[in-house]
Amino acid sequence: MAYPIISRLGGVALITGAASGMGRAVAQTFAKAGSQIVLVDRDPTGLEKTITEYGIDRKQSIVATIDVRDDTAVEELVTKIIPDKFGRLDFAVNAAGITGKGGLTIADESVENIDNVLSINLRSQIMFNRAQARVMLLPKDPLDAFTSQPDSQVTYKASDCPPFRGAIINFSSLAGFRTAPNFASYSISKHGVIGLTKVMATGFGPKGIRTNAVAPGAVDTPMLKEYPGMETLASYVPARRVAHPQEVANLVMFLCSPWSSYVNGETVVIDGGWAAGA
């Protein structure tokens, strides 16, 4: 069964947007899987709650209260602090994001809002992806989950493909496939994440790094609750409810695991069937 393998991934996992919502669920799930955790967010109170809710071992973690738009801080964290403490990076989940100010077309949005949304949702993911790939390629011992699970692996010659070096998961959105005219810059940024994911997959797949993205629909997070009327979204979903953050975290863990060893460059929609009726 998949669960025993996913539940003992180990390694080192970096999660941005770890202070709430889907990022928090992902961080806590990696902790359950025996991974050492790097928690990234600009909200120290939220990060503290992520740690205390599950009892994450602080000695086996890095807590980085940074703005993901700060290139210097991102580079320092990923390429220096993480290697110095753990000597490796195996998984990276880039969940930090904002919707920005909605209700306006692209012609009416302020340039400030456009820049803010694109810098957090897309540019920061580009900068994180670049740094994450470089560190994943540093010399390191293979993870047991990827070498000692014969029931999870297809038999093939080791020389046929590169060994597993890492998995990067970017966060797009259903809005990355369907335009959202009143959240224009948000929709543009999420389309861009899909492009970034493909570029990373083709560029680093031959080196053993798989890059995929998830595209959630409506998820019960603080960001969803910021906008009046969002509670009606469930009526558009065949599942007749919004997703729980843990359901998205489960998908992320699958995409990081040996069970998805041939999945690379994909953006996986998780929306309860919402897009199926579009």
Side-chain angles (χ1 to χ4, degrees):
M1 294 178 63
Y3 178 75
I5 294 171
I6 294 175
S7 69
R8 53 176 183 268
L9 280 181
V12 177
L14 179 158
I15 303 96
T16 72
S20 66
M22 292 176 281
R24 172 179 290 165
V26 170
Q28 293 174 341
T29 306
F30 266 114
K32 295 174 187 176
S35 303
Q36 295 171 302
I37 310 296
V38 182
L39 302 162
V40 181
D41 206 290
R42 60 184 176 184
D43 175 10
T45 302
L47 287 175
E48 181 64 22
K49 186 174 181 179
T50 298
I51 292 169
T52 56
E53 271 190 353
Y54 182 68
I56 293 174
D57 186 350
R58 296 175 191 273
K59 294 181 180 179
Q60 297 297 315
S61 307
I62 294 173
V63 180
T65 306
I66 64 172
D67 188 326
V68 296
R69 296 169 293 184
D70 186 336
D71 293 348
T72 301
V74 169
E75 189 74 13
E76 174 81 3
L77 170 66
V78 180
T79 65
K80 187 176 188 305
I81 295 174
I82 293 175
D84 285 352
K85 182 174 178 65
F86 296 131
R88 65 188 299 146
L89 178 64
D90 304 289
F91 311 104
V93 181
N94 300 299
I98 62 171
T99 54
K101 296 178 180 179
L104 299 173
T105 68
I106 191 66
D108 297 319
E109 273 192 67
S110 69
V111 173
E112 179 184 13
N113 186 65
I114 293 170
D115 285 344
N116 194 36
V117 172
L118 293 179
S119 64
I120 292 176
N121 290 2
L122 180 55
R123 189 181 185 282
S124 75
Q125 290 207 43
I126 295 171
M127 301 308 291
F128 267 105
N129 275 220
R130 286 158 41 100
Q132 289 158 354
R134 293 200 302 272
V135 177
M136 286 176 175
L137 292 174
L138 294 175
K140 59 185 176 183
D141 294 330
L143 293 177
D144 288 345
F146 291 84
T147 60
S148 61
Q149 301 292 341
D151 60 321
S152 73
Q153 298 291 302
V154 176
T155 302
Y156 48 77
K157 294 179 181 178
S159 60
D160 288 345
C161 63
F164 175 81
R165 304 303 298 275
I168 297 173
I169 309 298
N170 296 320
F171 266 60
S172 182
S173 165
L174 188 57
F177 291 93
R178 300 172 59 182
T179 57
N182 293 327
F183 288 89
S185 57
Y186 176 79
S187 183
I188 292 167
S189 71
K190 295 304 184 178
H191 277 73
V193 169
I194 295 173
L196 165 64
T197 299
K198 292 178 179 180
V199 167
M200 291 294 297
T202 54
F204 291 94
K207 299 179 181 181
I209 297 173
R210 292 187 296 106
T211 306
N212 292 290
V214 295
V219 184
D220 186 11
T221 65
M223 190 162 65
L224 184 73
K225 296 172 182 176
E226 289 178 5
Y227 299 95
M230 288 297 187
E231 65 275 3
T232 66
L233 288 179
S235 64
Y236 298 99
V237 181
R240 288 299 183 264
R241 63 178 178 85
V242 299
H244 188 282
Q246 185 61 52
E247 293 175 298
V248 180
N250 293 343
L251 174 59
V252 168
M253 297 302 288
F254 168 74
L255 291 173
C256 287
S257 78
W259 285 86
S260 63
S261 56
Y262 203 57
V263 183
N264 187 33
E266 293 301 318
T267 299
V268 183
V269 174
I270 175 169
D271 69 346
W274 190 359

